[in-house]
Each structure stands twice: as structure tokens, then as C-alpha cells.
Amino acid sequence: MLLRPRPFLLQALKPFHSARGPLAVRRTLSAHAAAADAAPRGDAPPPAPRTRHKNSRTPVPPRVSVNTALFFPPGVERDAAVTEEMVLPGSNIVVGPYAGDSRVKEAEFIGCSAHARDCPKDDRPEFAVLGRSNVGKSSLINALTRRKEAALTSKKPGKTQTINHFLINKSWYLVDLPGYGFAAASKTARMDWSSFTKGYFLNRDTLVGVLLLVDASVPPQKIDLDCANWLGRNNVGLTFVFTKCDKVKKGKGGRPEENIKEFQENIKLVYPEPPPWIMTSSTTGLGRDGLLLHMSQLRNYWDNEAT
């Protein structure tokens, strides 16, 4: 059963050499259906308020100007009138009619797989978490699920060596993938991990999108840009999740906001339309609720419309 590709991700994420028109999908939203969905579904929460995390000294970033390059989710026309209240704080993501209940009520570790073919075989949608080995993948998963040991965290990069599935609310998966760029193993093993990770991207029909983590505390890294380009060339939808936005590393370049802006300028060279991005911090909780809300609208569209 073929579930991909899905135009609501691909239109925004294709690299420059690809056509911008929608691709074939199992079912598409007609203009009538999009109009019928103009109101939020169910008990969709409003955009995240501008509040401080209880343990944070850093306020939530102000909402991005509507003049920036925005990401329009399913159900929102690109020429729609967008107010600042419709954009998630610290992101370029517009909240649309498919945004719904994004609370994580239950998180269960299902298992680890050495190959894509060994992953759970059901129709539940999933989001993959990818990034350099020291970017904070496990910390983000722990923050999203609010379980300190949901994913294994370690001071030694390269700890994750398998595809790890976490079942959220018994309805969708969060997938922890091996980090790239460094691993506490031989060069041969690192190549093998890269190979089976790419196999997962190319063959996993239930993959809604990739959360590509980028360390905002350092200047843009070529390996992150190369990974984003590879995902785009292979029509894999992604969201840039900028981590460590509460940190400023001495001697390693500008502030997180400056590094993010520079990264986005580089991305413009390969992507004609802006991919979604959001600022986060696993330490302060910055961006957690917004990221979950963004994932909910992609997931709800996938569940209801992408056949």
C-alpha cells in the first residue's frame, strides 16, 4: 500500500531543480474540501501563548513577522491573509485547520530495529528525529514526551545505533534515528548506519516527515546542509528543529538567532519554498508545545486526507 509522496510537504520542501506542482497522492484535498475545513477540527488549541517556561530565564521568542518566508500547512492557501497570532512563536509555521489535540498522554518504547524492514508493520503515521550525533536528539525526545529516560541520553555522541520506535498515545510513532557525522564506532560501522538510515527514508511508507535537528548554538555546518539537500532531492518532507537556542558558545560564532538566519540563507540556495522551522530548547522547554502542534496538523492531514 503506497502512502507517499504527499504534496503538502513536497511542495514546500523540494530543492530548486524540482517542479513545484503537486505530485500524485492517494487522495488530495479538493478546493471544496479545503473550504469546508476552514474552521479548526475538534478541540484544536489556539497557538501557543507567549509565556515563560517555569524553569526558564529566557522568554519565548516573539512571533515571527508575517513578512518572513512562511510555511503554509494543509488547508491554508498561500495567498491567505496571515496575522502574527497565526504563526507559532519562534518559527515560520502557520497554524492551520488541521491543528488538533497535540498533548502527549502516553509514550511507550516499542523496540529497536537494525534494518528498515524490521520496523513495526502497521499503518500508524510516524515522525523521524534526525541530526548530528551531538545535536540533542534524545534530549528533544525526552522533552516532547516529558519522560526523562524515554530516549537514552549520553555525553558520548553516537550512542544511538539502531532505529528506535516510540509509540505516542497509541496512535503515532516518534522515531529516534542514528546520528550522523560522528559515532563511537569504526568507520565501517558508521557507513553501515548511514546506509540503513537512508533505506528507512526511501522505503518507509508511513513516514509523515523528518524532524531535522540543527544546533543553533554554532554556525551552520555543511553536513547539516548536505543532509537537508539529500532529503529534498529524495522527496522526504522535513522540518528544521533548531536546538540549544538558549545557549551561546564562546568562541564558536554568533548568537542562536544569528546562526539560524545564516542557516536559512544557505537553505534558500537549494529550496525554492521555505521549509518549516522552529526554535527549541530541551533545557527551558522553548518550542515544545509549538512543535507538537505543528506535528499534529501534519499528522491529522495524513490521517484524514492523504490516502
Side-chain angles (χ1 to χ4, degrees):
M1 176 169 57
L2 181 62
L3 305 181
R4 306 171 40 205
R6 302 180 183 85
F8 70 90
L9 292 173
L10 302 187
Q11 281 182 311
L13 304 180
K14 280 183 169 185
F16 68 92
H17 58 265
S18 301
R20 296 194 187 186
L23 302 179
V25 292
R26 294 167 61 196
R27 188 192 304 146
T28 58
L29 267 179
S30 65
H32 174 74
D37 286 331
R41 298 186 174 195
D43 57 347
R50 303 182 198 181
T51 58
R52 293 174 181 258
H53 185 271
K54 64 180 181 180
N55 296 322
S56 173
R57 296 181 180 177
T58 305
V60 172
R63 296 185 184 278
V64 176
S65 168
V66 295
N67 295 322
T68 193
L70 298 175
F71 172 76
F72 294 90
V76 180
E77 298 295 334
R78 290 182 179 275
D79 58 354
V82 176
T83 64
E84 290 187 1
E85 288 68 28
M86 295 172 62
V87 182
L88 292 174
S91 84
N92 72 334
I93 300 169
V94 177
V95 178
Y98 285 91
D101 188 351
S102 58
R103 293 170 295 176
V104 174
K105 305 172 185 176
E106 181 181 356
E108 177 186 1
F109 175 68
I110 298 301
C112 54
S113 307
H115 303 90
R117 62 177 179 271
D118 301 324
C119 292
K121 296 176 174 60
D122 56 50
D123 292 335
R124 294 184 179 96
E126 60 191 44
F127 290 88
V129 183
L130 179 67
R132 288 189 293 120
S133 295
N134 59 347
V135 76
K137 294 187 296 89
S138 296
S139 295
L140 179 73
I141 292 175
N142 293 341
L144 291 176
T145 60
R146 284 189 171 152
R147 284 153 177 81
K148 294 183 179 179
E149 298 180 355
L152 180 63
T153 57
S154 173
K155 293 183 179 179
K156 181 181 292 186
K159 194 69 175 179
T160 301
Q161 301 178 16
T162 53
I163 303 172
N164 301 320
H165 275 72
F166 299 87
L167 182 60
I168 310 299
N169 300 340
K170 298 189 184 302
S171 61
W172 58 280
Y173 289 109
L174 198 57
V175 185
D176 186 13
L177 296 176
Y180 55 78
F182 179 89
S186 67
K187 182 177 180 180
T188 300
R190 293 199 297 271
M191 293 176 63
D192 288 343
W193 296 343
S194 174
S195 177
F196 82 69
T197 299
K198 290 180 178 180
Y200 166 85
F201 292 135
L202 298 176
N203 300 298
R204 192 64 176 166
D205 291 337
T206 52
L207 179 64
V208 175
V210 174
L211 306 181
L212 180 56
L213 275 55
V214 178
D215 187 345
S217 67
V218 297
Q221 305 293 301
K222 183 178 184 298
I223 193 169
D224 293 327
L225 296 168
D226 288 345
C227 181
N229 193 20
W230 185 91
L231 291 170
R233 285 188 286 107
N234 287 277
N235 293 330
V236 180
L238 60 79
T239 294
F240 290 114
V241 179
F242 292 104
T243 63
K244 307 180 184 180
C245 290
D246 61 308
K247 297 181 179 180
V248 177
K249 294 184 178 180
K250 295 182 180 180
K252 291 192 176 182
R255 300 180 61 83
E257 295 83 357
E258 298 168 348
N259 294 330
I260 291 172
K261 183 177 180 180
E262 184 180 351
F263 187 91
Q264 291 167 346
E265 290 299 320
N266 281 280
I267 286 298
K268 287 181 181 178
L269 301 177
V270 294
Y271 284 88
E273 300 292 342
W277 59 265
I278 187 168
M279 299 172 65
T280 69
S281 167
S282 298
T283 301
T284 67
L286 170 68
R288 175 191 182 272
D289 294 342
L291 179 56
L292 286 171
L293 189 61
H294 168 59
M295 295 163 66
S296 81
Q297 60 186 1
L298 299 185
R299 188 175 67 251
N300 288 337
Y301 177 82
W302 191 96
D303 282 337
N304 291 283
E305 306 295 346
T307 59

